[in-house]
Amino acid sequence: MREVKRFPTTTGQSWLEMSSFKDHLFKSHDKIAKEYDYIVVGAGYGGYGCASRLAELQPSARIAVFEAIKIGNGDSGKNAGFIIDVPHNFGDQGNSNFEDNFMYYKLNTFIIGRMRKAIEDSGIKVDWDPCGKYLCCSETKSFKLIDTEVEELEHMNVKYEIYEGEVLAKRLGTRYYKKALYTPGTLLVNPADVLRGLFTVLPENVDVFEECPVMSIEEGARARVKLLNGKELTAKNVVVTGGPFIEEFGIVKNTFCPVLSYGAFTRQLNEDELIYFKDVKPWGCTAGHPAGTTVRFTCDNRIFVRNGFSYATHRTTSFQRIRRAVPKLRRAFENRFPEIKHVNFEYLYGGMINMTMNFRPLMIQKHPSVYASASGEGAGVAKTCLMGHYVAEWINGIDSEELRFLRRIATPSHLPPEPLPTIGATARLMWEEFNAKSEI
């Protein structure tokens, strides 16, 4: 495999700034051993899912997890903080069907249950709220998305509620939306807080190292791993869970088409400003169009908005691109909450949505000693975690209906060489944002 040329970076400030685990110290780099049974590259939700399951299956094995930057400061901690149980935006994948959607629902609820149990059993305090989510529409033409999802939910026998008009306004503290579909099974979280918290309570046979990039992986009877700091170590198996950065190791090629999105958090609202949210509980909503604005009213009394998509050709963003995203974020915030439009943004960021062209996940054995897994669509927290979980079972020879399903659908399509993906994706994103109109 080749040497990595591009590593994850971080730009802007996000959920990590509000995490009680922000200053937690993981293992010191001088504790890195020369040999491990398993090495997991990437400490996002996929890395957690893999490491936690490996530790459960092999309690005497030596396991190491390496993250290039601070855990929770990458894309796993730079999303809207939804852990969604039902398949998100039914039909996005084009070739999905009821059986596949129902299996996703089963798997998502399973992995959410595992995370919940780890949190409850350990007693850690994290920002984890089982309050459900809204799919909100500001235009009547978007109602058809609600109708489509209702049809699927009824087919799956999943509970939901519809809210409109004054009832909806009282639940959200804004009159911007006309109609909403509410599903109760989604978790609203601080994704960086939950991720760091979960990594702190992994079993003692798991060593976690952050800000420690992996430079290369060499296949063999025992895989050889070289770190950017010059250290070299070996492992029986290596699992790479780094999303688009899986390509940097040469494991796959022209597979990921990541999209950048931009988010903003207001400062905490004061008592006078909270008058407009009297009796309103924390909530989160996705939009009636894929390019629309995602909004949350957080448990610490902030408004969060996310929108403004662009193609991540170089797997990173910049402060300049974040600055250019601010006007659109401000418009979304002020249009929805005109009574508090004077409130400033405290934190701004840009993060990647790790997608594949056909929205399919990745689960691959590159070599007897090297595996990789990743999600392929926007609602990725639960799916990324379960992909890591089941690749750990695959390595250990555990067969199941669920693993066979994931291996069957893990067929991401290939992209043409650059600059075609950038040109095509940029045009598509511009078209989608044009059609989204007031949903942005």
Side-chain angles (χ1 to χ4, degrees):
M1 294 186 194
R2 67 190 185 203
E3 193 171 274
V4 172
K5 303 298 183 184
R6 291 184 294 190
F7 296 97
T9 59
T10 181
T11 309
Q13 295 176 296
S14 187
W15 294 99
L16 182 62
E17 305 304 318
M18 296 162 275
S19 170
S20 59
F21 291 91
K22 178 182 178 181
D23 298 320
H24 176 84
L25 297 177
F26 290 98
K27 284 271 186 175
S28 171
H29 294 186
D30 59 14
K31 301 294 185 182
I32 298 173
K34 291 184 177 180
E35 294 184 355
Y36 287 95
D37 295 296
Y38 302 99
I39 289 176
V40 179
V41 181
Y45 281 95
Y48 167 76
C50 184
S52 62
R53 186 57 172 154
L54 286 173
E56 190 174 48
L57 294 172
Q58 302 286 348
S60 61
R62 297 198 66 183
I63 303 166
V65 182
F66 292 96
E67 172 56 48
I69 56 179
K70 193 161 186 173
I71 294 173
N73 215 13
D75 300 313
S76 289
K78 287 189 171 178
N79 54 60
F82 293 76
I83 306 182
I84 300 175
D85 58 338
V86 295
H88 185 48
N89 287 350
F90 298 101
D92 271 0
Q93 297 162 341
N95 51 4
S96 62
N97 53 50
F98 169 74
E99 289 74 19
D100 287 358
N101 281 335
F102 189 76
M103 179 60 84
Y104 274 135
Y105 174 65
K106 175 182 174 182
L107 288 168
N108 287 343
T109 53
F110 162 74
I111 207 68
I112 289 171
R114 276 186 62 88
M115 285 190 276
R116 179 187 293 110
K117 188 174 188 304
I119 290 168
E120 292 176 351
D121 288 352
S122 64
I124 56 173
K125 304 298 182 183
V126 293
D127 184 351
W128 169 283
D129 189 354
C131 62
K133 87 169 186 73
Y134 297 87
L135 168 61
C136 289
C137 298
S138 61
E139 296 189 359
T140 54
K141 72 174 186 178
S142 300
F143 291 179
K144 61 184 179 181
L145 180 58
I146 289 179
D147 295 338
T148 300
E149 296 214 10
V150 164
E151 184 179 344
E152 290 286 348
L153 292 170
E154 289 186 344
H155 196 185
M156 296 167 63
N157 197 29
V158 175
K159 293 180 179 179
Y160 69 90
E161 296 173 31
I162 301 291
Y163 295 102
E164 300 181 75
E166 190 65 22
V167 175
L168 179 61
K170 287 183 177 180
R171 293 182 73 90
L172 303 184
T174 173
R175 299 180 182 279
Y176 190 79
Y177 299 107
K178 295 178 180 178
K179 187 175 183 179
L181 166 67
Y182 172 76
T183 47
T186 290
L187 285 299
L188 295 185
V189 303
N190 175 329
D193 190 51
V194 171
L195 185 64
R196 287 186 72 86
L198 287 171
F199 268 107
T200 67
V201 295
L202 284 173
E204 291 185 1
N205 63 323
V206 182
D207 293 341
V208 180
F209 304 98
E210 61 181 354
E211 298 179 297
C212 190
V214 173
M215 177 174 281
S216 65
I217 302 168
E218 183 180 334
E219 302 162 348
R222 286 183 64 86
R224 299 187 65 84
V225 174
K226 184 176 181 180
L227 306 179
L228 187 62
N229 61 18
K231 291 190 175 185
E232 296 187 18
L233 45 154
T234 67
K236 182 173 66 175
N237 290 114
V238 176
V239 183
V240 184
T241 64
F245 292 96
I246 293 172
E247 292 191 7
E248 293 297 312
F249 294 96
I251 295 174
V252 292
K253 184 179 180 181
N254 297 334
T255 299
F256 292 94
C257 50
V259 173
L260 289 165
S261 69
Y262 303 88
F265 301 82
T266 68
R267 60 164 170 77
Q268 289 180 296
L269 305 182
N270 60 38
E271 290 185 6
D272 291 337
E273 294 152 355
L274 286 172
I275 291 174
Y276 301 103
F277 298 89
K278 184 179 179 182
D279 299 325
V280 174
K281 298 178 181 179
W283 57 269
C285 79
T286 55
H289 189 282
T293 298
T294 298
V295 186
R296 281 188 57 183
F297 174 50
T298 68
C299 63
D300 63 342
N301 299 326
R302 301 174 189 268
I303 300 296
F304 165 84
V305 288
R306 188 186 75 172
N307 62 32
F309 298 101
S310 60
Y311 189 63
T313 305
H314 304 291
R315 309 291 194 254
T316 188
T317 187
S318 65
F319 287 109
Q320 289 82 359
R321 293 181 84 171
I322 294 174
R323 180 179 60 82
R324 291 198 297 269
V326 172
K328 191 178 295 182
L329 291 166
R330 287 299 313 180
R331 284 196 299 272
F333 167 65
E334 293 176 12
N335 287 342
R336 287 161 176 78
F337 307 100
E339 297 88 353
I340 56 169
K341 63 182 182 180
H342 62 278
V343 175
N344 64 290
F345 288 154
E346 185 170 6
Y347 302 121
L348 297 158
Y349 75 90
M352 283 195 297
I353 303 173
N354 302 326
M355 302 175 71
T356 59
M357 190 164 66
N358 61 348
F359 306 104
R360 293 291 183 127
L362 174 74
M363 180 183 280
I364 187 172
Q365 182 180 17
K366 177 66 175 178
H367 179 271
S369 61
V370 180
Y371 295 74
S373 71
S375 179
E377 42 96 340
V381 173
K383 188 175 293 183
T384 302
C385 191
L386 69 88
M387 295 300 292
H389 174 95
Y390 281 101
V391 81
E393 295 204 346
W394 184 16
I395 292 170
N396 280 276
I398 299 175
D399 185 35
S400 66
E401 177 188 4
E402 292 78 11
L403 176 59
R404 291 193 297 273
F405 166 76
L406 291 173
R407 291 187 64 186
R408 175 176 65 81
I409 57 94
T411 54
S413 57
H414 289 282
L415 299 168
E418 287 288 354
L420 293 178
T422 297
I423 294 171
T426 300
R428 173 66 183 274
L429 290 169
M430 290 176 65
W431 174 250
E432 292 291 350
E433 289 202 341
F434 173 78
N435 285 310
K437 299 187 183 302
S438 69
E439 299 295 353
I440 297 177

